Amino acid sequence: MSRKGDVEWTVTNPKAGGAKHEYVAKLKVSEDFNDSQKDMVTNFNSMRDFLFNNGLMEKKGS
């Protein structure tokens, strides 16, 4: 599903930096969030998943 303003993330050299980001859990959307807050959580989780899925974030408990 693509929406206006979506960003595509690509990895060009995942091992270049060497250091990994500390593990960060996904944020959860609360039912009382407004649309802007829900979009912020969605964007944060997208960036977090990008780092985690490409080996740029430590695993939980590391």
Side-chain angles (χ1 to χ4, degrees):
M1 175 173 96
S2 181
R3 298 180 299 172
K4 183 178 179 182
D6 280 354
V7 176
E8 181 177 324
W9 301 94
T10 58
V11 177
T12 55
N13 191 356
K15 303 205 186 261
K20 292 184 179 185
H21 293 274
E22 290 183 26
Y23 178 82
V24 177
K26 286 186 177 186
L27 296 178
K28 295 181 181 178
V29 176
S30 177
E31 290 189 26
D32 61 340
F33 282 4
N34 64 37
D35 288 342
S36 294
Q37 291 170 315
K38 289 176 183 177
D39 285 344
M40 185 280 306
V41 170
T42 299
N43 289 333
F44 175 87
N45 286 338
S46 174
M47 291 184 285
R48 180 237 175 249
D49 288 346
F50 169 81
L51 294 173
F52 188 79
N53 294 337
N54 289 288
L56 301 171
M57 181 188 296
E58 294 175 353
K59 295 188 180 199
K60 188 174 184 176
S62 295

